[in-house]
Amino acid sequence: MTDERNNAGELTVRLVRADEVAWYNALMKEHHSLGAAASGRVLRYVAEAAGEPLVLGTFGSAAWRVPVRDRHIGWDDGQRAARLERVCANQRLCVLPAAAQAVRHAASRALAAMLRALPADYLSAFGVRLMAAESFTDPAAHAGTVYAACGFTPAGLTAGYGRSRGRDYYAYHGQPKQLWLRELAPGGIAALAAGFDAPVLAGRRAPDFNRLRVSGERGLLEHLARVTDHRKPKGVRHDLAAILVVVVVARLCGADSVYAAAQFAQSMPQEALRRCGIRYNTRLGRHVPPSHKTIKRTIRKIDAEAADQQMCAWLRAEAAAGRLNWRHIAIDGKTVRGAVRPDGTRPHLLAAFDVTAGTVLGQADVEAKTNEITCFVPLLQAILDGRGRRARGRGDDEASGSDGDGAEEGYAAGGAGGRGGGGGGEEEELVIVTADALHTQAGHVEAMNELRIGWILDLKDNQPGLYALADAHPWHDEPVLHATSETGHGRHEVRAIRVTSQVPDGITRRFPGTAQMMLIERYRHDVRGSGATAACRAAGDDPAMTGCAAGAKISCETVLALTALTPAQASPKFLLARNRGHWGIENGLHHRRDTTFAEDASRLRAGQAPRLFASIASLTISVLNRAGLANHAAARRELAWDRTGLQALTLLGL
């Protein structure tokens, strides 16, 4: 029960209890010309002052079909059928005789209080989140002053038809009514007419496809339209780009196979198909979704690499427009283990992943007769378009990194490898690339220096001479400049970093632009029990783990790394965070493709299907990350449970 109080006159609004309905109806019949009739999901309110009823209000289900309302909202028949329950009608508003003497402006004050309480009460009673309220007044009898005072908008006059209870047809009564509409949630009326369910309809944080340009200029459809269609023009019913977008939406909703994607396409509503670019069949009078055979033949023969390039280009276009922010790029490869080709090979994709925004910026197909090393530089050149840096104004909050404060968020201006800083009174943002030891190659370093990229690369035994040079540095004389501690998942882990600018000549000759060397130490031991966990948390970032690991077996792993970032550009705290952040590509992309999208368990093997489905999975992960959804499995289940498919389309902005 909801109470709404107003100190001026002590007007109180509450729901009518079940045992008071007879009393409420008797008052309504006595004082309202239309009686006490109510229909649908009904809530009854009474406004009282000093225990005396002053105003009665009945709210119920909205009228099924009102052309003037439907035109004002802008929804079609399908949207009205799906979302009509989100509109509630003020079916009766009765001002009792005692109201005039008891409280000033009792009618408008009572109605306003009822409308404030209505959304929460309706959700509690019926599980429906209201977007708008409607009401009708007779222009010959009422000017609608009370409704205007409460924020209702006049939407126009009805045509003068009505339908009585028990009849399935409308009869002309010749008395047009004034329709009034009022939003009950910000953006509620726009959400009613949206092509896809907006987050406000769900009442929770959800992906909003409307924020991404899927249709229109520079949208996903336009990008995919650049992929060459391998099919013969004769007999083509669906555009290649439209089929691909349908598959993307299906994958967002949990379709992990070609058959599941086709099954989902058959269930998509007309508005969704239209926004996906599916043509309108004039003979059948509707948008016809692509069949299972059409989707299967298309994804087998398509140029999957070209489609992947266009999907990543769309994501990068969103980044350039300020929708996506990319600074730290992690590069790593993954094999689609379940897709075994006739020659025994499997598709292997080298991905460039924006760790900060969770977005795939580009992917390269590593062919069987080559390896990731040959694909590294072309991939970087493609995603950066020849630009490694982006200008920033002095007003941006970037840290110098000298003391570590704020280093998680930024770093100072300056080129890679000590190249010139930003001139002209401007600071510049530097793109940072991390990769595993396989890519600690002289050619890669030279290419990144030319692109003016800041890089962080590990040194391991694949470069034995260089590793020995770095390991020979007297690290025991270097202090620990920063350390972090984490306790969870049954273990206590401390990471410590030592940094030096004394780089041996042998390393700088091999890797020009190397500004610093790092030694990162990782200490870990298992933790069992709440008491041990509390002790580890109290120990903090002490590498010796004094007082928390008595009798425990402590493992230690050391990593040597090189970077082009100078001490003025990045603090030890920032370097340690970026080194660990590289694993974001494993946890945020590869692990999700393995588990949430069941990629390694998939038996897609024919033609380009495995390659295309892996690319679409990467795009889907990027969209869900951009929407702020950490649990992708739960997000896909929610989208799949929406049988209309409109929530998934909302995510894509279709």
Side-chain angles (χ1 to χ4, degrees):
M1 184 175 297
T2 303
D3 287 345
E4 184 72 30
R5 295 185 179 274
N6 190 313
N7 292 331
E10 290 296 326
L11 184 69
T12 303
V13 171
R14 63 176 180 84
L15 281 171
V16 173
R17 300 189 302 270
D19 59 351
E20 296 177 323
V21 172
W23 161 78
Y24 176 93
N25 288 340
L27 282 176
M28 188 69 76
K29 289 178 181 178
E30 181 181 356
H31 298 285
H32 199 287
S33 60
L34 298 179
S39 60
R41 297 166 170 167
V42 178
L43 290 180
R44 298 174 175 88
Y45 287 92
V46 57
E48 299 173 326
E52 182 178 3
L54 303 180
V55 181
L56 308 178
T58 302
F59 293 84
S61 299
W64 168 247
R65 185 176 182 275
V66 183
V68 64
R69 177 200 62 197
D70 299 344
R71 288 193 300 268
H72 183 85
I73 293 176
W75 58 12
D76 56 27
D77 291 344
Q79 292 171 326
R80 186 188 72 239
R83 297 174 180 161
L84 185 63
E85 67 174 359
R86 305 302 188 111
V87 180
C88 183
N90 175 222
Q91 297 177 349
R92 298 287 186 272
L93 184 66
C94 180
V95 183
L96 300 178
Q101 292 78 25
V103 179
R104 188 180 181 186
H105 306 306
S108 58
R109 290 171 56 190
L111 179 58
M114 293 175 188
L115 291 171
R116 287 193 293 269
L118 179 62
D121 291 339
Y122 206 87
L123 178 64
S124 176
F126 307 115
V128 176
R129 195 173 301 275
L130 292 177
M131 296 291 105
E134 69 178 17
S135 190
F136 298 89
T137 59
D138 187 349
H142 303 283
T145 306
V146 172
Y147 291 101
C150 292
F152 281 81
T153 300
L157 295 174
T158 65
Y161 285 82
R163 187 178 68 174
S164 300
R165 184 174 299 176
R167 296 189 309 191
D168 58 357
Y169 60 90
Y170 290 86
Y172 181 71
H173 52 66
Q175 297 177 339
K177 301 296 191 298
Q178 175 67 55
L179 171 69
W180 299 84
L181 280 175
R182 182 186 187 274
E183 280 189 344
L184 296 178
I189 290 181
L192 292 173
F196 315 99
D197 286 353
V200 67
L201 293 175
R204 60 181 180 274
R205 187 180 180 184
D208 188 358
F209 282 137
N210 292 309
R211 299 188 62 185
L212 298 177
R213 290 174 294 183
V214 176
S215 57
E217 184 180 1
R218 295 175 62 85
L220 181 57
L221 277 169
E222 181 180 301
H223 277 82
L224 291 176
R226 300 170 187 167
V227 180
T228 303
D229 196 339
H230 60 278
R231 301 170 297 173
K232 295 181 180 179
K234 184 178 180 180
V236 171
R237 296 181 179 178
H238 303 286
D239 293 336
L240 180 63
I243 296 175
L244 292 177
V245 171
V246 167
V247 176
V248 169
V249 175
R251 293 226 70 186
L252 275 165
C253 294
D256 290 329
S257 67
V258 178
Y259 182 82
Q263 185 180 16
F264 178 83
Q266 298 301 318
S267 68
M268 293 175 69
Q270 290 292 293
E271 175 66 12
L273 292 171
R274 181 189 69 80
R275 290 177 178 260
C276 285
I278 298 298
R279 296 177 182 174
Y280 184 80
N281 189 310
T282 55
R283 182 176 61 86
L284 298 177
R286 61 188 180 92
H287 299 273
V288 180
S291 65
H292 171 242
K293 289 185 178 180
T294 298
I295 295 177
K296 180 174 67 174
R297 288 194 298 261
T298 299
I299 67 174
R300 283 184 177 182
K301 299 293 184 181
I302 192 176
D303 186 347
E305 184 173 0
D308 188 2
Q309 291 174 355
Q310 292 303 323
M311 286 186 283
C312 291
W314 173 65
L315 290 172
R316 294 197 301 273
E318 294 295 315
R323 292 176 176 82
L324 302 176
N325 180 27
W326 49 285
R327 295 171 299 189
H328 176 189
I329 302 175
I331 297 181
D332 197 12
K334 180 186 181 301
T335 300
V336 185
R337 300 185 184 279
V340 183
R341 295 171 176 147
D343 60 357
T345 62
R346 297 175 175 87
H348 185 90
L349 298 182
L350 181 66
F353 184 72
D354 173 15
V355 176
T356 305
T359 303
V360 178
L361 301 177
Q363 294 185 129
D365 191 357
V366 181
E367 299 179 357
K369 295 183 179 181
T370 183
N371 55 37
E372 292 183 8
I373 295 176
T374 59
C375 300
F376 183 90
V377 174
L379 176 60
L380 272 182
Q381 292 172 339
I383 65 174
L384 295 177
D385 296 326
R387 297 176 297 106
R389 308 172 74 179
R390 189 169 58 200
R392 297 179 64 91
R394 283 191 178 275
D396 294 327
D397 185 16
E398 299 290 343
S400 66
S402 59
D403 58 0
D405 293 338
E408 286 290 333
E409 289 74 29
Y411 38 86
R419 298 179 180 225
E426 286 189 347
E427 295 182 353
E428 293 182 344
E429 185 180 66
L430 183 65
V431 175
I432 297 175
V433 170
T434 58
D436 56 27
L438 174 67
H439 296 290
T440 308
Q441 305 288 334
H444 294 1
V445 169
E446 292 174 359
M448 287 188 287
N449 288 340
E450 291 178 2
L451 291 171
R452 302 177 68 80
I453 295 173
W455 44 266
I456 301 174
L457 299 173
D458 289 349
L459 268 180
K460 290 188 177 180
D461 290 339
N462 62 326
Q463 303 274 1
L466 299 177
Y467 183 87
L469 282 175
D471 190 46
H473 182 80
W475 290 107
H476 58 277
D477 294 334
E478 299 288 346
V480 173
L481 298 178
H482 184 69
T484 62
S485 174
E486 288 187 2
T487 303
H489 304 286
R491 63 177 181 268
H492 178 206
E493 190 169 46
V494 174
R495 299 176 183 85
I497 184 171
R498 306 169 192 259
V499 184
T500 180
S501 299
Q502 301 175 16
V503 183
D505 292 340
I507 292 179
T508 55
R509 284 196 301 268
R510 177 70 173 171
F511 300 129
T514 303
Q516 297 184 89
M517 292 193 307
M518 297 172 284
L519 174 67
I520 299 174
E521 300 166 305
R522 302 168 184 161
Y523 301 91
R524 178 189 299 176
H525 71 89
D526 293 336
V527 179
R528 295 290 184 271
S530 58
T533 301
C536 290
R537 288 175 177 165
D541 54 12
D542 178 16
M545 296 185 172
T546 305
C548 71
K553 181 179 179 181
I554 301 177
S555 63
C556 179
E557 178 187 5
T558 60
V559 176
L560 288 170
L562 308 175
T563 180
L565 300 174
T566 65
Q569 288 178 297
S571 68
K573 177 182 178 182
F574 181 79
L575 293 174
L576 184 61
R578 296 283 64 79
N579 177 268
R580 190 188 182 198
H582 175 74
W583 289 98
I585 190 172
E586 292 289 348
N587 298 329
L589 180 64
H590 295 163
H591 181 70
R592 279 171 169 154
R593 279 169 51 185
D594 281 343
T595 56
T596 306
F597 291 84
E599 184 172 280
D600 285 352
S602 173
R603 289 298 178 262
L604 279 175
R605 299 183 179 183
Q608 296 293 312
R611 170 76 164 86
L612 181 66
F613 260 55
S615 301
I616 292 176
S618 297
L619 182 143
T620 302
I621 290 169
S622 300
V623 170
L624 293 175
N625 282 338
R626 176 58 183 166
L629 298 175
N631 191 332
H632 288 195
R636 295 180 81 209
R637 283 194 296 270
E638 287 188 3
L639 295 173
W641 292 335
D642 173 30
R643 302 305 300 170
T644 66
L646 293 179
Q647 284 192 35
L649 292 168
T650 302
L651 279 175
L652 287 174
L654 291 172

